Structure formats: C-alpha cells, structure tokens
Amino acid sequence: MRRLCAALLALAGCADDVAPADGSTTSTGVVSTSTSTDTTAGETTGAQPTDVPLVDPDSSSSAGSSSSTSGATAVCGDGVHAPGELCFGDLIALTGIGNSPTGVAVADFDGDEHLDVAVALTADASVMVAYGDGTGALNAGPTLLSGFQPRGVAAADLDDNGEPDLAVANLGTNYVAVYLQSGGAFGPQQPEAAGARTRAVAIADVDGDDVLDMVAVAEDSNSIEVMLGEGGGMFASAVPYATGPQPYDVALGDLDGDRIIDAVVPNFGGNTLSVFRGLGDGTFAEAVGETIASAPRSASIVDFDDDGVPDVLAPSFDAQVVSLLLGDENGFGDWISLPVGQGPYVSTVADMNGDARPDLVSVARDAGSISVVVPNEDGSFTETEFFAGLSPLALAIGDFNEDGSPDAVVTDSVSGAVSVLPSNP
C-alpha cells in the first residue's frame, strides 16, 4: 500500500466530484457509478489538494454479478467473497422509528451476540434502541427520553459493569445525556454539561487511568469539552479547548504512536481541522489547524493507505469531496481530494470488497446513497453508489447479517428509518 500512498501524492488534476444519482436502481441497489472528469476541487486558502483520478468500474450494475481483482467474473449471492467482489443486497429498513433520525451508534446492547444500534431522534427529543437478529434486520426496542434535539451518539461501557452504555449529545440543552445500562435496562438520563449547542460526543481513555472519558463538541462555544471519567459512570466538570469556527464533530485516536489519545475536530464554519495532541494526563495541547476542503461535517481517524500510521478523513458537504490527510512521522501532508457521491456527510474505511485493503465508505446525503470508493493499484479509484434512502445522514459499519463481510447501517432523516445495507457475496 506504500505504492498507493506514493501514487496518491504524485497524481493531480483529475476528477474529485460526482454527479447526483438519477434515481434508477437495480436489484443490487446500485444507483450510479462515477466516471473520469477534469474537474478539480474548489479553491481554498492555504495548502491546496492533490486530486486523484477516477476510473470506470469493471463491475456490472446488473443483479448478481461483479468483478474481482483477478479479472474473472464473480457472482454475487453465491456466499463466496471473492477478492475484489463488491456485492450488496437490498436495503433492509426499519421504518417509523420517529422523526429526524440522525446520529447512530453500534453495540451489542442486549448481550445476545448480535449487533444492535442506538439512534438519536432529533425532532422527538429521544433515543431509540433497535435490536439486531443476526440476519441484517433490526427490530424496534426501547425509546429513551433525552434533552432537546439529541444529535450525536456514542456507545461504550462507561461504568465498567460489562454492559454497553450510551452518551448522547443534545444541541438544544447543551449537555451530554448519559444512560447507564444495568441488567439489560437503561437508567434515566444523567446530564453532563458540555457547552453551547452540544453536537457530538466521543469516548476514549484520554488520561490513561483505565477509566473512560468523554469529549464533546460545543458548536456555539467553538470548543471541545473534555469530561474525565471518575468511575461508576460519573464525570468531572467539562474543561473547554478552543477549536476553529463552528466545530461539528470529534474523532479520538492515537495519531502519532505515543499511546496517548489525540483529537481531531472538523470546523464547519471554515476549511480546517483542529488537531489536538494529547499530553497523557487528560489535557491537550493547543490546537493546530490543518487546511482541508471547505465546510467539513465530520471526521474519522483511520488507516486509509494501510501503512500502520493513522490518517484522517473529513467529508466536505459543500465542496462535494472527502478530504484525506495522510499521516506520517512528521504529521500530515497537504490534503488529498477523494471522489464520493453528492453531499458527503460521514466517511469511514472498511474492506468492503474482500481484497484485504481498506475502502472508503461514505454517506452521500444529496444522492441518497452510500458511496464505496475502492483504491486501485495504479493510484486511481473506482467509485460505486448504492441506494441508502431519501436523505441518509449517519453511517456505521458492522457485520449485521453475520456472513463475515461488513455491512453498513444508515439513518434516513427524511423518511424516519434506520436501515442496513447487507453484504451479499
């Protein structure tokens, strides 16, 4: 994959945007496929992007077939995930869950060894838990009352009792609502104040004491709020750190290999990421700004080029690209523009086609699709979109149908559904 990294940095001047889907579908859910253009990313101040080329996918959008990396035709639905085979079944939707489902978190909440999801229902001031049955289907579970306009959701065992708990960021009430689970039931919300318009929350052990901590995003405070865990699901008062304008999300991970958690925050009000280096005691150094495409909506820390060093992805809803910052021992280079579907909101990586290499997976809200971008050995990319609802907003990856291949789960903020896009090798 170092060859891919070098190719990414060397290539310039090709496509970085995709036309909206035309709404046509097939039984495999494919809605559109990108082709090469000469369009480049919109101008920003500071460092400029390196653009990467697209190629026409070899795979057919007809039902039941795809292409493998060996060039031989692979058949979708035969149960064999041939390397390079990108196959999904029809979307499995749990509808009528509530109004404006947005954030989503994945865990085995009921201990039955099947993946479940928790969904923030922004317009209903509540959180709904849906239980998976191992087939890819979700079944409605309990609804938990939350503060006004719940948005971001995270799941982890906050009180160390062996059961996953929930943390939900509330835009309208400026706190993170913590729900501790005991004996398979969630307790009442425990509000943790976290700045004006608390939009997102992430969980990790930022001070190295083996107790989980929370980091929330306060959009109107232009800050992240660090809440150190005190054990038993209790937290110290939030400590703020200044971000760029209008922070929208936070991702936690070890960026530099020092075994200390760092934080990355996309600033929707500008064209930067705020990168906070952890100091190991629960505090962070002052943020360093990294220039990317304008108006990023989210961020994730991943190893996109498979070199063992974390990278950062940040979808830009306005610029219609995903910005990639490749990490190395010196930090980050100039941002790279990756091709995705129209209206990217959340991105992550997973090996979606069984070739043992990470692929880019994004929610394309305006296209109503999940965009899967597969890197090729020559440094180009193949991008394919799969129908994901009227207005998909949040994204998570997991094996919901338990076939050994990753599936995607999305929320649809317009239709009021949470859905699984199941693999179908």
Side-chain angles (χ1 to χ4, degrees):
M1 291 306 292
R2 293 184 183 277
R3 176 181 171 187
L4 170 60
C5 178
L8 282 169
L9 294 173
L11 291 168
C14 295
D16 59 16
D17 202 3
V18 182
D22 61 8
S24 61
T25 61
T26 71
S27 61
T28 57
V30 178
V31 295
S32 69
T33 304
S34 61
T35 56
S36 297
T37 74
D38 293 325
T39 306
T40 56
E43 293 184 0
T44 62
T45 58
Q48 296 299 305
T50 300
D51 298 308
V52 293
L54 294 173
V55 298
D56 291 328
D58 294 329
S59 63
S60 169
S61 61
S62 60
S65 66
S66 72
S67 175
S68 69
T69 53
S70 65
T73 299
V75 179
C76 293
D78 65 357
V80 179
H81 203 164
E85 182 182 57
L86 189 62
C87 299
F88 294 97
D90 293 330
L91 203 67
I92 305 173
L94 174 60
T95 59
I97 64 172
N99 294 303
S100 301
T102 52
V104 63
V106 174
D108 177 11
F109 289 112
D110 56 0
D112 65 354
E113 299 185 357
H114 303 312
L115 288 180
D116 313 310
V117 299
V119 182
L121 300 172
T122 301
D124 290 344
S126 63
V127 181
M128 193 274 293
V129 179
Y131 296 116
D133 61 6
T135 69
L138 298 171
N139 302 287
T143 297
L144 313 173
L145 294 179
S146 187
F148 186 50
Q149 294 181 318
R151 184 59 177 83
V153 186
D157 185 5
L158 296 173
D159 55 1
D160 200 28
N161 70 346
E163 298 179 76
D165 310 305
L166 286 170
V168 183
N170 287 273
L171 283 166
T173 37
N174 305 332
Y175 62 69
V176 174
V178 174
Y179 302 87
L180 300 178
Q181 187 177 196
S182 179
F186 289 96
Q189 65 165 305
Q190 172 186 313
E192 301 287 347
R197 282 184 66 80
T198 308
R199 172 170 286 277
V201 61
I203 299 170
D205 179 11
V206 302
D207 58 358
D209 65 352
D210 295 325
V211 177
L212 290 176
D213 313 302
M214 298 192 300
V215 179
V217 172
E219 181 183 355
D220 284 1
S221 298
N222 291 328
S223 66
I224 57 170
E225 309 279 325
V226 179
M227 293 164 279
L228 296 180
E230 297 180 329
M234 305 301 293
F235 296 87
S237 297
V239 176
Y241 291 83
T243 65
Q246 206 176 350
Y248 238 62
D249 190 22
V250 59
L252 301 177
D254 180 6
L255 294 173
D256 46 17
D258 61 359
R259 299 184 180 180
I260 297 173
I261 295 295
D262 308 303
V264 176
V265 178
N267 298 305
F268 178 68
N271 63 328
T272 61
L273 292 175
S274 294
V275 179
F276 295 88
R277 300 288 176 171
L279 301 179
D281 59 357
T283 63
F284 291 87
E286 182 178 352
V288 174
E290 296 282 352
T291 300
I292 57 171
S294 62
R297 294 291 181 107
S298 63
S300 55
I301 298 174
V302 300
D303 184 7
F304 183 73
D305 56 359
D306 202 24
D307 65 351
V309 179
D311 313 306
V312 175
L313 295 170
S316 173
F317 186 83
D318 292 359
Q320 308 291 351
V321 299
V322 171
S323 298
L324 167 65
L325 288 172
L326 291 174
D328 59 31
E329 62 274 11
N330 299 314
F332 298 104
D334 289 347
W335 64 281
I336 294 168
S337 170
L338 295 177
V340 290
Q342 190 171 13
Y345 216 96
V346 178
S347 295
T348 188
V349 298
D351 179 14
M352 305 303 286
N353 67 346
D355 65 356
R357 297 184 298 171
D359 307 309
L360 173 67
V361 188
S362 303
V363 163
R365 194 190 77 175
D366 286 358
S369 67
I370 290 173
S371 172
V372 180
V373 177
V374 177
N376 302 310
E377 287 292 343
D378 62 0
S380 63
F381 289 82
T382 299
E383 190 262 356
T384 308
E385 295 177 39
F386 300 87
F387 177 71
L390 299 177
S391 183
L393 196 66
L395 168 72
I397 302 297
D399 187 5
F400 285 86
N401 62 3
E402 299 175 7
D403 64 353
S405 301
D407 314 307
V409 61
V410 294
T411 58
D412 188 335
S413 60
V414 170
S415 69
V418 58
S419 304
V420 173
L421 179 66
S423 57
N424 184 37

